[in-house]
């Protein structure tokens, strides 16, 4: 799985278009290789890019409250 690359690409595009972007962190997969942990790297990148980085449970709670 390299979903993190697709999510990051779309995130960049949306930010360039002026959107605020939130990412559901436990809904993204990334490989873990001998050279490093792709998921941890993705989370670090997402923190710099996204306006919000939440778990699925946090998003569900926000939606129920809305």
């Amino acid at each position: 799985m390299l979903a993190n690359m697709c999510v990051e690409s779309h995130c960049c595009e949306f930010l360039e278009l002026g959107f605020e972007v939130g990412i559901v962190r436990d809904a993204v997969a990334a490989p873990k290789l001998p050279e490093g942990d792709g998921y941890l790297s993705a989370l670090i990148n997402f923190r710099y890019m996204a306006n919000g980085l939440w778990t699925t449970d946090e998003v569900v709670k926000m939606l129920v409250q809305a």
Side-chain angles (χ1 to χ4, degrees):
M1 293 287 299
L2 225 87
N4 63 306
M5 300 294 284
C6 295
V7 170
E8 186 171 324
S9 174
H10 288 297
C11 182
C12 286
E13 182 178 359
F14 292 139
L15 289 170
E16 288 173 4
L17 292 171
F19 289 93
E20 291 186 7
V21 179
I23 297 174
V24 182
R25 64 185 290 152
D26 55 359
V28 179
K32 191 168 190 176
L33 306 169
E35 292 82 10
D37 185 340
Y39 180 69
L40 179 58
S41 297
L43 292 180
I44 291 168
N45 289 342
F46 295 159
R47 286 263 182 224
Y48 285 107
M49 298 166 58
N51 299 89
L53 187 60
W54 306 295
T55 64
T56 301
D57 288 339
E58 291 171 329
V59 172
V60 169
K61 286 177 187 173
M62 286 188 276
L63 293 172
V64 168
Q65 290 174 356

